Amino acid sequence: MGSKCCKSGPDKDALEKEKLKRLREKRLRERVKAAGKIQAWWRGTLVRRTLLVAALMAWMIQLWWRTCLWRRVLKRRQDLLKIYVIQEEAAVKLQSWVRMWQCHRRYCHVCNALCILQVPEGCFAFQTHDALQEQYEVTPSHPEFHIEILSV
């Protein structure tokens, strides 16, 4: 038995060393695996952070662009409103000029008609059948036109 004891001693040490070697290799593989998991987690965190920053930047650009478009729309509306106001004012002014011209034309027609009917004394009387009497009187400052209908 003594001889077996000596033989088992170096074999036992070799087995122990082999066990320790496998244990170290197993621990190394676990550490490498854990390090791989940590690195994957960190890369995922970096990617998510980068994507979040990119998404926020894209959102800010979209917001800026929508604001630019909205300002364009507002400016266009204001320009159209200004054009509308200018056109309305021009139409009102033109209508007032036409009305003024029509009034002036009527005034000139009345003045011309009164000048034709006017005699040097300033009065012209026209009678027919004693039932209808028309009288035109003109004062120097304001022309007037009177019609009188007399019944019998």
Side-chain angles (χ1 to χ4, degrees):
M1 240 179 153
S3 65
K4 278 188 177 186
C5 196
C6 289
K7 280 186 179 180
S8 67
D11 285 340
K12 196 173 185 184
D13 284 342
L15 287 175
E16 283 291 321
K17 284 182 183 179
E18 189 66 31
K19 249 187 188 180
L20 285 173
K21 187 178 175 186
R22 277 188 258 149
L23 187 60
R24 282 186 203 130
E25 287 175 359
K26 185 179 177 185
R27 284 185 184 165
L28 182 64
R29 279 193 304 264
E30 287 175 357
R31 281 186 173 183
V32 168
K33 191 175 178 182
K37 286 184 179 182
I38 291 171
Q39 288 174 351
W41 171 81
W42 181 246
R43 281 193 304 266
T45 302
L46 290 178
V47 167
R48 283 188 293 278
R49 186 185 304 165
T50 304
L51 288 176
L52 179 63
V53 168
L56 287 175
M57 291 296 210
W59 179 73
M60 289 171 55
I61 291 170
Q62 289 171 354
L63 183 65
W64 169 80
W65 181 246
R66 287 185 193 123
T67 304
C68 287
L69 289 179
W70 180 247
R71 285 183 184 154
R72 255 194 209 165
V73 167
L74 280 179
K75 185 167 178 5
R76 181 77 175 137
R77 282 183 188 170
Q78 288 175 346
D79 291 344
L80 289 174
L81 185 61
K82 287 177 185 176
I83 290 170
Y84 174 76
V85 167
I86 289 170
Q87 289 175 345
E88 286 296 311
E89 287 177 350
V92 168
K93 192 171 279 198
L94 186 62
Q95 288 171 355
S96 72
W97 286 347
V98 167
R99 286 190 195 108
M100 182 179 68
W101 175 75
Q102 288 173 340
C103 288
H104 180 73
R105 195 168 146 215
R106 286 188 202 116
Y107 175 78
C108 288
H109 282 284
V110 169
C111 285
N112 287 338
L114 291 177
C115 288
I116 291 172
L117 295 175
Q118 196 173 13
V119 292
E121 296 98 36
C123 181
F124 176 76
F126 181 75
Q127 288 183 328
T128 57
H129 301 298
D130 294 331
L132 176 65
Q133 181 182 8
E134 295 178 341
Q135 184 176 4
Y136 301 95
E137 293 183 16
V138 178
T139 59
S141 61
H142 299 294
E144 292 182 22
F145 184 67
H146 296 284
I147 297 177
E148 290 184 31
I149 299 175
L150 303 173
S151 62
V152 180

